[in-house]
Amino acid sequence: ITNPDAKYDSEGTGGIINIITKRENSEGFSLNSNINYGATGRVNGDIMLSLKSGHWTFGVNYSGKYHQERVNSELLRHFYASNNSIEQIILSSQRQINNSLIINAARRSTRGDLFTLNLKFLKPDILNNQVITNINSTLADISFVNRRNEFHHKRRVGEIIADYKRVIKKDISEISFRGSYSGTKGERPGNYYEDGVFVQRSEGGGHPANFTLQSDFSTKIPRIGLIESGLKFFHRGNTFRFDSYQYDSVTGEWVYNNFFSSDLTHSENIYAAYINYSKNLKSNVSLKLGARAEYGTSYLNVIKESQEIRDNNLFISPFLLIKKSLSESSSVAFSVTGRVTRPNYPQINPFVNMIDKSVYETGNRNIKPETAYKADFAYNYTRNGYNISATLYYTTISGFITQISSLYQDDALMLTYINGDKSNRVGVDLNGRYRFSKVFTTSLSSNIFYGETKGFYNNFDLASSSIMWSGNIGLNISPSKKDDIQLQYFYSSPFTYPQFKSSHVHYMDVAYKRSLINNRIIASISISDIFNTRKWNINSDNSIYSLRNNSKNQSRVLWLGLSFNLNNMQISRQPKREDDSEAGGLIRLGY
């Protein structure tokens, strides 16, 4: 849903994915399990168990992942004021281990009331290792410094969500309540070496927590239309402490480094209310109007500087959707909506992180939310195995959030986040799917737009503008009911941002799957980035420095996968009817 109505949070600009599941009435036990192996030291998988008995449904889902990743990068930065240059060769490796456990229960009454409870536990663990060779060139000489960074991201996440929907009058009115809480305990210890000498260490992390209370009400009024309304309270908070120590080679002691250390607390409350009205004006015209108001208060306490920052903001988001059916197979729609994006913790945390001796990064404690308004005109046509949709859109963002770099000391940069003035986009989204026959199906998705940014920050001109586009084309070949071959090609043109430009990116994925034993087992083989073309090139040239940065990861990976499905094993052992369908399979490829 690229134009979510007032019922949904105003946060974010990408849209909403709304998944509506079919109601399953059959009782019994089902099991689904997937395992995938990547030839470069990657494995992931999951197992899902569910049981339905009477009005109750229970489910357990466990998933795990072990991935090893390598990235090779080259960087050349030249400072105009000093005429010095820094060349870097960076070898990065990452090990990801993730475990996830989800337990859920649901009860649906005869009249349609529904209660659900979900418990989730996540344990992501990421170990990063960077080896950086620095070549510093000045008018006088050339020097070499080798730096190794080791930092470990460890998190423990717990979450609970409870939902209750009460049907007041079937197909007329209902009310629902939702409560949720999630808490995270994070750690990020790090060790840093220069030319083999242990010179710096750090420890600490954050403890973010989120809490939500929400209620929604809807009712249909004869000859008037559908009315939806709701209230929501959202709280997020974090306690962050990070301690850094520098090794003193003279005394042989570790000295506390106040500049690279941080100690802060943050709290934000958002109070929201919305109302929607929708009605079919004619047999082929529908209207939906809505408005959402969100009032936010935030509190940031930078403890080591004894600085308290309080802020509040009111955001009102209108919504309008007019849809007209031109025929049974085509329709047009016009919509207007507003969105807000609030800064995240890395963007507001003033803690300074030293990437290396030439690049530092920090957050901006005074950054503000960005607000966006979008209007689009959409056309959709579906008939006889093919679908075409086209959307003409215009988006304007006030106070857009962007990362910039400024000079810090003589030959070093400080990266941070700031608010620009305006960011505008006008473009076209094109999507299509056509089935040539039972064997061949093709799909196309593309987005072409003109984008521009405006603003100034510390004498930096944030202006940028260009035509950019991205898209993918896919081909699905089904030589039989048991076999599927998938080819997908992705392309992204050069993109322009304040202070830098990225080069084009393109790659192709190929996959084959085969169903076995009445679809109970599905075997798959796939290759991501089959031609090994996926890489990133970034260039910048401004009044302070020029930059050329090239990166390439292990994008070409051979994946082998198996999916096991054991569904609808009837508790009562009733004989299978002829109209019972076989359970389908889900292919889980590498990501």
Side-chain angles (χ1 to χ4, degrees):
I1 305 175
T2 57
N3 55 347
D5 61 45
K7 179 179 180 179
Y8 299 97
D9 288 344
S10 297
E11 181 77 21
T13 57
I16 302 290
I17 295 178
N18 186 31
I19 300 174
I20 302 174
T21 60
K22 293 182 178 180
R23 184 169 175 176
E24 180 59 67
N25 292 319
S26 60
E27 296 191 2
F29 168 81
S30 65
L31 178 149
N32 181 280
S33 180
N34 306 276
I35 185 168
N36 302 284
Y37 171 75
T40 56
R42 311 181 190 196
V43 62
N44 62 70
D46 57 47
I47 182 169
M48 293 166 280
L49 305 171
S50 65
L51 173 66
K52 187 176 189 305
S53 178
H55 296 294
W56 285 94
T57 302
F58 301 93
V60 178
N61 179 6
Y62 168 79
S63 63
K65 179 176 79 171
Y66 177 90
H67 280 195
Q68 290 183 338
E69 179 75 53
R70 293 180 62 87
V71 180
N72 297 330
S73 303
E74 295 181 354
L75 180 149
L76 176 62
R77 185 182 290 111
H78 179 74
F79 295 91
Y80 290 123
S82 64
N83 204 27
N84 297 337
S85 298
I86 296 177
E87 182 179 357
Q88 292 182 334
I89 301 174
I90 307 170
L91 304 178
S92 303
S93 62
Q94 185 181 89
R95 186 202 68 191
Q96 298 182 36
I97 301 176
N98 190 20
N99 291 280
S100 169
L101 177 65
I102 301 174
I103 302 173
N104 54 69
R107 186 185 189 280
R108 184 186 295 273
S109 68
T110 305
R111 58 178 291 167
D113 294 350
L114 178 65
F115 170 77
T116 62
L117 179 66
N118 291 272
L119 304 174
K120 180 187 295 185
F121 176 74
L122 303 175
K123 188 181 177 183
D125 188 295
I126 302 175
L127 179 63
N128 294 278
N129 191 308
Q130 288 182 327
V131 178
I132 305 174
T133 300
N134 292 277
I135 306 172
N136 303 319
S137 302
T138 67
L139 295 176
D141 63 356
I142 299 177
S143 60
F144 297 84
V145 176
N146 292 314
R147 182 176 176 88
R148 181 158 60 93
N149 304 331
E150 297 177 353
F151 44 96
H152 199 172
H153 294 272
K154 297 186 287 186
R155 294 206 250 328
R156 308 292 182 268
V157 183
E159 181 180 275
I160 179 171
I161 302 175
D163 288 273
Y164 175 68
K165 184 182 74 172
R166 171 73 175 178
V167 177
I168 301 173
K169 191 173 182 180
K170 190 175 181 181
D171 299 327
I172 299 295
S173 59
E174 63 182 38
I175 188 170
S176 64
F177 303 91
R178 162 173 280 211
S180 67
Y181 173 82
S182 66
T184 301
K185 181 180 180 181
E187 297 179 59
R188 188 189 178 275
N191 297 324
Y192 306 89
Y193 304 81
E194 287 185 2
D195 293 329
V197 179
F198 193 7
V199 295
Q200 185 183 357
R201 64 180 177 87
S202 58
E203 58 189 27
H207 297 79
N210 298 330
F211 175 72
T212 300
L213 283 176
Q214 180 177 350
S215 178
D216 300 280
F217 172 77
S218 66
T219 184
K220 293 179 182 178
I221 303 176
R223 296 183 297 277
I224 299 296
L226 174 66
I227 304 292
E228 299 173 291
S229 61
L231 299 171
K232 182 176 181 179
F233 170 75
F234 173 73
H235 167 83
R236 69 167 177 165
N238 193 5
T239 300
F240 181 86
R241 182 177 179 87
F242 194 82
D243 297 316
S244 179
Y245 300 88
Q246 206 78 24
Y247 182 70
D248 189 329
S249 59
V250 177
T251 63
E253 297 180 350
W254 288 97
V255 180
Y256 187 77
N257 191 320
N258 188 65
F259 181 73
F260 292 117
S261 301
S262 180
D263 190 358
L264 61 84
T265 59
H266 177 263
S267 177
E268 184 174 38
N269 296 322
I270 299 173
Y271 308 86
Y274 77 90
I275 185 168
N276 277 331
Y277 166 75
S278 56
K279 178 179 176 61
N280 292 325
L281 301 179
K282 298 180 180 179
S283 60
N284 63 343
V285 179
S286 61
L287 170 70
K288 192 167 193 177
L289 292 169
R292 184 181 184 92
E294 294 186 353
Y295 178 73
T297 64
S298 63
Y299 169 75
L300 177 65
N301 183 8
V302 186
I303 298 174
K304 74 172 187 177
E305 299 178 15
S306 300
Q307 182 182 22
E308 296 183 353
I309 301 174
R310 300 179 186 273
D311 196 12
N312 61 79
N313 60 83
L314 174 65
F315 179 72
I316 298 178
S317 171
F319 178 79
L320 168 67
L321 172 64
I322 302 175
K323 185 175 181 180
K324 177 179 175 62
S325 296
L326 303 177
S327 65
E328 293 184 356
S329 55
S330 63
S331 64
V332 292
F334 174 75
S335 66
V336 177
T337 187
R339 313 292 292 162
V340 63
T341 300
R342 298 177 177 87
N344 55 38
Y345 283 123
Q347 293 172 339
I348 63 176
N349 192 342
F351 140 72
V352 178
N353 177 38
M354 183 173 70
I355 299 176
D356 56 61
K357 285 191 172 182
S358 65
V359 181
Y360 303 80
E361 62 178 349
T362 184
N364 180 357
R365 67 194 72 185
N366 298 310
I367 199 168
K368 304 294 184 181
E370 63 177 32
T371 57
Y373 292 93
K374 180 181 180 182
D376 59 38
F377 179 79
Y379 171 79
N380 187 77
Y381 184 85
T382 302
R383 188 173 181 179
N384 297 333
Y386 63 91
N387 171 268
I388 299 174
S389 65
T391 303
L392 174 66
Y393 66 89
Y394 171 74
T395 302
T396 180
I397 303 176
S398 299
F400 71 96
I401 297 174
T402 184
Q403 188 183 59
I404 68 159
S405 57
S406 57
L407 193 63
Y408 177 72
Q409 298 176 346
D410 293 332
D411 293 331
L413 296 176
M414 179 68 76
L415 308 182
T416 190
Y417 298 88
I418 57 98
N419 291 106
D421 291 340
K422 284 281 187 179
S423 174
N424 300 318
R425 280 190 180 188
V426 57
V428 178
D429 266 323
L430 295 174
N431 295 277
R433 185 177 185 272
Y434 181 66
R435 186 173 185 179
F436 293 95
S437 64
K438 294 182 179 180
V439 177
F440 296 98
T441 302
T442 186
S443 62
L444 172 68
S445 176
S446 65
N447 177 25
I448 181 170
F449 65 93
Y450 169 78
E452 64 175 9
T453 59
K454 300 176 182 178
F456 283 90
Y457 177 80
N458 286 351
N459 297 321
F460 275 101
D461 189 355
L462 302 178
S464 68
S465 63
S466 68
I467 295 177
M468 297 163 273
W469 66 282
S470 62
N472 65 80
I473 184 169
L475 177 65
N476 194 86
I477 305 172
S478 303
S480 71
K481 292 183 178 180
K482 295 183 177 182
D483 299 281
D484 272 306
I485 301 171
Q486 301 166 359
L487 295 91
Q488 197 86 10
Y489 176 74
F490 301 85
Y491 179 86
S492 177
S493 73
F495 271 60
T496 302
Y497 305 91
Q499 286 200 331
F500 71 94
K501 294 182 179 180
S502 64
S503 300
H504 73 279
V505 178
H506 70 105
Y507 59 96
M508 175 180 281
D509 296 342
V510 179
Y512 167 74
K513 69 173 183 178
R514 180 173 176 83
S515 301
L516 306 169
I517 314 177
N518 295 324
N519 291 335
R520 299 300 183 188
I521 297 178
I522 297 178
S524 64
I525 181 171
S526 65
I527 303 178
S528 60
D529 190 13
I530 188 170
F531 298 114
N532 203 28
T533 57
R534 190 174 185 178
K535 57 185 177 181
W536 292 267
N537 300 319
I538 296 175
N539 297 279
S540 179
D541 194 1
N542 52 62
S543 60
I544 295 178
Y545 67 93
S546 64
L547 169 69
R548 186 177 72 248
N549 187 6
N550 307 315
S551 296
K552 182 76 180 72
N553 70 338
Q554 293 174 294
S555 55
R556 181 163 58 185
V557 179
L558 172 66
W559 288 92
L560 302 175
L562 284 176
S563 176
F564 304 90
N565 300 276
L566 182 64
N567 297 319
N568 298 334
M569 297 296 292
Q570 301 296 323
I571 293 178
S572 58
R573 303 302 181 190
Q574 298 175 356
K576 182 178 178 180
R577 302 188 304 270
E578 291 184 1
D579 60 350
D580 284 343
S581 61
E582 296 288 351
L586 174 65
I587 182 173
R588 295 289 182 88
L589 300 179
Y591 44 88

